[in-house]
């Protein structure tokens, strides 16, 4: 039995969707354990592009079971739209998708508050996806949230929703924003509740019983290590634990049932939203955007791009316990003559080998670079390690060594076939 946790080893958008799809082949169950529809996991099957926000990518293979775990925050209306979209594309969802009874709901006031708080922060904004993620997790921590189990009990839902809307309307009024209509929200979310009821289950029990039959479980991480609420570049983070531990708390599967951790990282670095990114570089950003790459799957925003940061991903390997690495988007570097890798940070006289916890110091940090010769040839035709240019192999070996984990997968394009297994 091999239960695998897959995490993003950078700031999200590492290409996890594709790697999850590849690893799903050897899994029986795929579980999402944190985040919400701020995530956007892209998978190409043939010419068809699928972008999944809440439903685990395993749904694209009809023999796999998928679970949205207790640690995820769910906008029910959004989930219904996603399910209907998948059904339209011929994907089997009924009988394959289970949603935790204890997952918290994202409701319209969360989205409104997310937007209003960002406006109020002005130049100090986080650059959130405005999906209401922070306020929904805030309610969960404050023990005032509504959960899937409430949504499927109409009277309970109506009572709790009425109270939450009247309370949040006071806050929205203070922001100068328009209050919400209880009736409108209730009607839309009740309809979503009816539609979702058949999917709602005690997913802890499903996962426990599956583990008794030696089922192999893949935990699909969303966002990335440095967006983690505890271990990321706070406050420029999301509101969940995106690191490996989140897979346990967000599903109810204990740590001693986990067998390996796979870290996904790009051959360079990207970030969406605000916050420090020491290796950010206009030249590489322009090059990648010019190739039509690095636009967000959820918000369409252009991602900030920079050189590979071995200090940050090395720390990601430590905090997640990464056993194996999957490096994606190698082909994005195919036309670069000299490739830089950050191996340390400098802030005046101070030198850092770890990501400083002082966010202001981190924002001031200058990268210390090592240079590698580029391979200046397309890599997307390579299917085996030895088919990669020698300079690309040297680069990959170096970034894996600097990160401190074993290189296992290299992705040279978005398609399933454009993958090299080591
Ligand atoms: P939130 O999760 O919408 O609150 O956004 C908080 C921060 O996390 C912002 O910088 C977002 O751009 C970033 N973020 C959230 N989800 C993702 C993701 O799936 N990929 C990359 N960045 C994300």
């Amino acid at each position: 039995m091999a239960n695998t946790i897959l995490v993003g080893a950078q700031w999200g958008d590492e290409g996890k969707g594709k790697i999850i799809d590849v690893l799903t082949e050897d899994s029986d169950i795929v579980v999402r354990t944190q985040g919400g529809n701020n995530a956007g996991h892209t998978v190409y099957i043939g010419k068809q592009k699928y972008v999944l926000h809440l439903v685990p990518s395993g749904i694209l293979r009809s023999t796999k079971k998928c679970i949205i775990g207790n640690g995820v925050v769910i906008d029910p209306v959004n989930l219904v739209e996603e399910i209907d979209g998948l059904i339209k594309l011929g994907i089997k969802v009924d009988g394959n998708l289970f949603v935790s009874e204890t997952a918290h709901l994202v409701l319209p006031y969360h989205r409104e508050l997310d937007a209003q708080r960002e406006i109020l922060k002005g130049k100090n904004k986080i650059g959130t996806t405005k999906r209401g993620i922070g306020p929904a997790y805030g309610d969960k921590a404050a023990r005032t949230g509504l959960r899937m189990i409430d949504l499927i009990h109409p009277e309970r839902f109506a009572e709790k929703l009425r109270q939450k809307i009247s309370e949040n309307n006071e806050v929205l009024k203070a922001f100068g924003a328009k209050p919400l209509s209880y009736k409108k929200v209730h009607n839309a979310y009740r309809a979503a509740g009816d539609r979702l009821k058949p999917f709602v289950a005690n997913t802890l029990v499903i996962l426990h019983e599956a583990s008794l039959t030696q089922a192999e479980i893949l935990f699909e991480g969303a966002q990335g290590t440095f967006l983690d609420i505890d271990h990321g570049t706070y406050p420029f983070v999301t509101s969940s634990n995106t690191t490996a531990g989140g897979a346990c708390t967000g599903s109810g599967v204990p740590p001693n049932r986990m067998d390996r951790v796979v870290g996904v990282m790009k051959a360079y670095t990207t970030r969406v939203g605000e916050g420090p990114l020491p290796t950010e570089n206009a030249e590489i950003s322009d090059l990648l955007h010019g190739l039509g790459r690095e636009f967000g799957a959820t918000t369409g925003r252009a991602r900030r791009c920079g050189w590979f940061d071995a200090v940050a991903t090395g720390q990601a390997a430590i905090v997640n316990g990464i056993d194996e690495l999957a490096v994606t988007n190698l082909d994005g570097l195919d036309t670069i003559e000299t490739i830089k890798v950050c191996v340390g940070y400098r802030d005046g006289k101070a030198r850092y080998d770890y990501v400083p916890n002082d966010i202001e110091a981190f924002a001031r940090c200058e990268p210390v670079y090592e240079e590698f010769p580029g391979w200046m040839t397309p890599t997307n035709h390579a299917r085996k390690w030895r088919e990669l240019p020698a300079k690309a192999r040297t680069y990959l070996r170096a970034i894996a060594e600097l990160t401190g984990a074993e290189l296992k997968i290299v992705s040279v394009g978005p398609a399933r076939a454009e993958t090299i297994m080591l």
Side-chain angles (χ1 to χ4, degrees):
M1 190 179 86
N3 289 342
T4 300
I5 301 175
L6 182 138
V7 291
Q10 295 161 322
W11 275 271
D13 306 316
E14 294 92 350
K16 294 181 294 295
K18 161 164 173 184
I19 304 299
I20 292 155
D21 178 56
V22 169
L23 296 180
T24 298
E25 199 164 358
D26 298 324
S27 315
D28 302 297
I29 305 177
V30 185
V31 192
R32 266 287 299 272
T33 57
Q34 43 71 225
N37 66 344
N38 49 350
H41 292 170
T42 307
V43 181
Y44 284 88
I45 302 176
K47 290 220 161 66
Q48 181 67 52
K49 178 182 178 181
Y50 300 88
V51 183
L52 296 134
H53 297 284
L54 278 163
V55 178
S57 315
I59 205 75
L60 303 177
R61 297 183 191 248
S62 63
T63 56
K64 312 293 175 181
K65 300 279 177 257
C66 288
I67 290 180
I68 302 180
N70 57 277
V72 177
V73 287
I74 301 170
D75 183 323
V77 169
N78 218 269
L79 179 56
V80 168
E81 277 169 18
E82 190 169 332
I83 289 172
D84 287 344
L86 287 166
I87 292 171
K88 253 193 216 138
L89 292 170
I91 304 295
K92 177 174 157 39
V93 180
D94 289 335
N96 277 358
L97 178 68
F98 303 88
V99 180
S100 170
E101 290 170 335
T102 57
H104 277 250
L105 305 184
V106 181
L107 290 154
Y109 46 84
H110 294 129
R111 272 196 308 274
E112 279 296 321
L113 289 174
D114 196 355
Q116 293 301 328
R117 285 176 189 163
E118 284 283 270
I119 294 168
L120 196 69
K121 282 196 189 100
K123 67 176 179 39
N124 295 321
K125 71 176 195 287
I126 297 168
T128 74
T129 59
K130 298 203 179 73
R131 298 294 191 271
I133 305 298
Y137 277 115
D139 269 356
K140 176 178 178 177
R143 297 152 298 172
T144 57
L146 272 70
R147 308 194 289 180
M148 287 305 297
I149 194 83
D150 299 315
L151 182 70
I152 59 170
H153 287 94
E155 281 176 24
R156 198 190 301 175
F157 179 68
E159 190 190 324
K160 288 189 176 183
L161 183 72
R162 189 185 292 280
Q163 201 243 319
K164 288 296 290 183
I165 289 198
S166 90
E167 173 192 325
N168 281 291
N169 275 349
E170 294 306 314
V171 183
L172 288 175
K173 274 189 239 161
F175 273 114
K178 225 174 108 194
L180 295 163
S181 147
Y182 164 76
K183 205 165 152 213
K184 269 198 199 149
V185 176
H186 179 259
N187 288 350
Y189 282 76
R190 271 292 307 123
D194 286 344
R195 181 79 175 76
L196 292 177
K197 196 170 178 186
F199 297 101
V200 178
N202 186 334
T203 53
L204 174 83
V205 172
I206 295 176
L207 286 166
H208 171 65
E209 290 181 350
S211 74
L212 298 177
T213 66
Q214 312 297 307
E216 301 204 1
I217 307 170
L218 176 62
F219 296 85
E220 170 174 348
Q223 290 87 43
T225 299
F226 295 98
L227 293 176
D228 184 284
I229 183 85
D230 285 284
H231 302 290
T233 48
Y234 192 91
F236 302 102
V237 292
T238 190
S239 298
S240 63
N241 282 116
T242 61
T243 46
C248 296
T249 51
S251 67
V253 177
N256 61 354
R257 291 277 183 279
M258 301 300 183
D259 300 293
R260 71 171 169 166
V261 179
V262 175
V264 185
M265 61 197 212
K266 275 185 180 143
Y268 44 90
T269 305
T270 65
R271 170 168 208 169
V272 241
E274 308 303 317
L277 186 66
T279 64
E280 187 167 16
N281 177 283
E283 207 179 317
I284 180 166
S285 280
D286 290 348
L287 175 101
L288 292 164
H289 295 149
L291 294 169
R293 304 172 76 117
E294 303 308 343
F295 292 93
T298 299
T299 57
R301 289 182 287 179
R303 296 177 185 139
R304 300 157 63 194
C305 305
W307 302 111
F308 185 75
D309 184 337
V311 181
T313 49
Q315 186 159 316
I318 295 169
V319 73
N320 292 293
I322 293 175
D323 301 298
E324 299 176 5
L325 285 177
V327 177
T328 68
N329 290 270
L330 181 72
D331 53 317
L333 298 178
D334 284 350
T335 58
I336 298 180
E337 234 164 277
T338 303
I339 300 171
K340 293 183 184 179
V341 171
C342 168
V343 293
Y345 307 126
R346 211 178 270 128
D347 171 23
K349 285 199 177 108
R351 158 112 194 201
Y352 295 96
D353 297 320
Y354 294 94
V355 176
N357 285 324
D358 178 344
I359 194 79
E360 288 174 22
F362 192 37
R364 285 192 306 266
C365 276
E366 293 289 335
V368 178
Y369 284 121
E370 251 178 43
E371 291 188 353
F372 292 81
W375 42 94
M376 302 298 283
T377 177
T379 51
N380 59 332
H381 300 297
R383 295 291 174 270
K384 297 202 169 77
W385 175 249
R386 61 180 156 75
E387 291 170 7
L388 284 171
K391 286 175 181 157
R393 281 182 273 151
T394 304
Y395 177 71
L396 287 166
R397 270 196 221 101
I399 61 173
E401 197 173 307
L402 286 164
T403 299
E406 194 184 350
L407 181 64
K408 276 284 179 185
I409 301 176
V410 180
S411 170
V412 290
R416 270 180 187 166
E418 292 169 320
T419 310
I420 298 166
M421 308 292 285
L422 277 80

